[in-house]
Amino acid sequence: QVQLVESGGGSVKAGGSLRISCAASGDTYRAECMGWFRQAPGKEREGVAQVDRDSTMPLYAESVKGRFTIAQDNAKNTAYLQMNSLQPEDTAMYYCAAGLSWAVGRCSTRPSDYTYWGQGTQVTVSS
């Protein structure tokens, strides 16, 4: 089992920045991929960014490319999502997830491919 705990969410005005963190514990060898997903009220959960343990090829949703950066600190078993130039449409509950890779250095962007999930952290962006 892998336990994931997110932190760092909050409220910010449009154009601002936030960094959210995800601390992993337990069988962290199962966390070959770490991903950030978000879900706004009335919408499906969507992928934001995913990265393999060696940060070989981070993946980003088109809507966040150039604004968000995913990073991993393997020594701390922690993944981060740095979010810049935040917009009201980024408002959502953000979830950290962990799972196996489908090939070396290759991670899925689909929520259904991730086994372990955190409890979520709320990000609210006001205009």
Side-chain angles (χ1 to χ4, degrees):
Q1 295 291 322
V2 178
Q3 293 78 43
L4 303 171
V5 178
E6 300 100 333
S7 61
S11 298
V12 65
K13 290 187 176 181
S17 298
L18 280 175
R19 188 179 78 158
I20 53 180
S21 303
C22 174
S25 60
D27 298 330
T28 55
Y29 67 90
R30 297 177 182 270
E32 294 177 349
C33 291
M34 297 289 287
W36 287 99
F37 299 82
R38 66 187 181 186
Q39 188 166 18
K43 294 188 176 181
E44 291 188 356
R45 191 168 296 189
E46 63 175 357
V48 176
Q50 301 82 30
V51 71
D52 64 293
R53 184 175 289 131
D54 296 325
S55 301
T56 303
M57 193 170 70
L59 302 170
Y60 297 95
E62 285 296 325
S63 59
V64 307
K65 276 184 181 178
R67 300 188 298 123
F68 290 11
T69 302
I70 187 171
Q72 283 218 84
D73 185 335
N74 291 327
K76 296 181 178 180
N77 288 321
T78 300
Y80 304 93
L81 186 68
Q82 176 67 42
M83 303 181 289
N84 299 327
S85 301
L86 282 160
Q87 299 300 316
E89 51 266 35
D90 294 316
T91 295
M93 185 70 79
Y94 282 70
Y95 296 92
C96 174
L100 299 176
S101 60
W102 60 267
V104 176
R106 298 299 183 97
C107 297
S108 172
T109 61
R110 300 185 306 181
S112 59
D113 290 331
Y114 287 77
T115 305
Y116 306 101
W117 290 84
Q119 81 288 352
T121 186
Q122 178 68 37
V123 172
T124 302
V125 185
S126 59
S127 57

